[in-house]
Amino acid sequence: MPDLRIGERGESVIDFMTEHLGGFFDLLKEILNFALRSVYDVLTALSPVAMVVVLVVVALVATRRVLLSVGLGLGLLVIQSMDLWPETMQTMASVVVATAVALLIGIPLGIWSAFDPVVRSVLRPVLDLMQTLPVFVYLLPTILFFGVGDAPGLVATIVFSVPPAVRLTQLGINQVDGETVEAAVAFGASRREVLREVQLPLAMPSIMTGVNQVIMLALSMVVVAGLVGGAGLGGVVVNAVQGLQIAASIEGGLAVVVIAVYLDRVTSALGGQGRAAPAWWPRRRPAARVPAVAAEPATVA
């Protein structure tokens, strides 16, 4: 086989993009940094204890499990006791922004691929490449495009997190019962109304599972963000490893675990998994049954 010089050709493409699309990458970097700062300002608007109370209430409403919510709150207080609250909120801001962008890209692509076999056949190898290609391979081009800081790690996180949103959205829509769709069409619903009123609601458990997977993959990339100069818990872990600081590495890793458990339990409950309704939780009363009135026998004239 002749040497195709794939690496050199890829490098020339990256050099061309760096030279001619520098303004676009700078604009995208400013947008991502602005989004990160905005979300971080919202998360740090309250004191740490007040934010813990808010997060516990959110967990309680989502899961309806008191012991789990209290345990999550205690874990968040442990993070505060380790003086890692600002770094944790920076990581949360990165996860929120990366998840939002990944879902804005992945869910529409999943809907499109569910209805178009050509798009589905094209997206499949691309998604396989995004999930299996080592993250450090496309992390270097992002550093060349965006420089050192939060932006390259955030872009790498988005690329790594998009595939579950696409795949599970497509799967959920394709698994909707065909007879249900045919019934909606028979009643005069348009294609858009069928998608909005029938297919998306029935596919929502699968879509929420995709949201959960996107969040977990985004959170797993925090260390990568630390390697390229990103702030947050990834920076804490990377600095601890480079300085052989065992105590700091344990604390940073424990904070990541607490945030991962919190996000996993809350998003799983929102998707309908692990949601319990205790006895004290207000329940919807069943509709009152109207007794059937016996029809009077018809009189024959």
Side-chain angles (χ1 to χ4, degrees):
M1 287 292 293
D3 186 4
L4 300 179
R5 302 182 182 275
I6 296 177
E8 295 180 2
R9 297 178 188 275
E11 184 178 0
S12 62
V13 171
I14 293 175
D15 292 338
F16 176 84
M17 295 176 64
T18 305
E19 182 179 356
H20 293 84
L21 299 178
F24 170 75
F25 292 128
D26 291 339
L27 176 61
L28 186 58
K29 178 180 178 180
E30 292 298 326
I31 294 174
L32 293 176
N33 288 333
F34 174 77
L36 282 173
R37 289 193 300 267
S38 301
V39 176
Y40 179 76
D41 291 340
V42 171
L43 293 175
T44 56
L46 300 176
S47 64
V49 176
M51 183 56 67
V52 169
V53 173
V54 172
L55 294 176
V56 169
V57 171
V58 171
L60 180 61
V61 173
T63 63
R64 300 181 182 179
R65 298 171 63 180
V66 179
L67 294 179
L68 175 61
S69 302
V70 172
L72 294 175
L74 292 176
L76 295 172
L77 291 176
V78 169
I79 294 177
Q80 167 61 15
S81 69
M82 295 186 298
D83 293 331
L84 291 177
W85 190 257
E87 292 81 1
T88 301
M89 292 299 101
Q90 289 172 345
T91 298
M92 288 281 286
S94 299
V95 171
V96 169
V97 174
T99 301
V101 176
L103 293 179
L104 288 176
I105 297 173
I107 291 179
L109 284 178
I111 295 174
W112 189 13
S113 63
F115 294 102
D116 195 332
V118 176
V119 175
R120 184 162 58 249
S121 62
V122 172
L123 282 179
R124 184 176 301 165
V126 175
L127 297 177
D128 292 339
L129 181 66
M130 293 169 64
Q131 285 188 304
T132 57
L133 189 68
V135 65
F136 296 100
V137 174
Y138 55 81
L139 186 62
L140 180 58
T142 58
I143 297 176
L144 297 177
F145 295 152
F146 301 101
V148 177
D150 292 322
L154 191 60
V155 172
T157 301
I158 293 171
V159 173
F160 189 67
S161 305
V162 165
V166 180
R167 294 184 187 275
L168 290 172
T169 300
Q170 172 202 327
L171 180 64
I173 293 176
N174 291 145
Q175 285 183 339
V176 174
D177 189 9
E179 296 181 356
T180 305
V181 177
E182 292 176 0
V185 174
F187 278 101
S190 64
R191 183 175 180 179
R192 183 172 299 180
E193 290 173 341
V194 171
L195 175 64
R196 185 179 65 250
E197 304 294 339
V198 177
Q199 291 175 311
L200 285 180
L202 293 178
M204 192 54 63
S206 179
I207 295 175
M208 289 305 300
T209 302
V211 173
N212 175 268
Q213 293 301 309
V214 168
I215 292 175
M216 291 297 101
L217 290 178
L219 190 57
S220 68
M221 295 288 288
V222 294
V223 177
V224 174
L227 289 173
V228 294
L233 296 175
V236 173
V237 174
V238 171
N239 293 332
V241 172
Q242 292 177 346
L244 298 178
Q245 302 172 3
I246 299 178
S249 64
I250 293 175
E251 292 179 350
L254 180 61
V256 172
V257 170
V258 172
I259 296 300
V261 172
Y262 179 89
L263 294 175
D264 177 69
R265 297 299 185 269
V266 172
T267 55
S268 297
L270 292 176
Q273 301 175 2
R275 183 166 180 164
W280 55 269
W281 194 266
R283 300 169 181 266
R284 181 181 298 178
R285 294 183 179 181
R289 294 184 178 180
V290 179
V293 179
E296 297 181 359
T299 57
V300 180

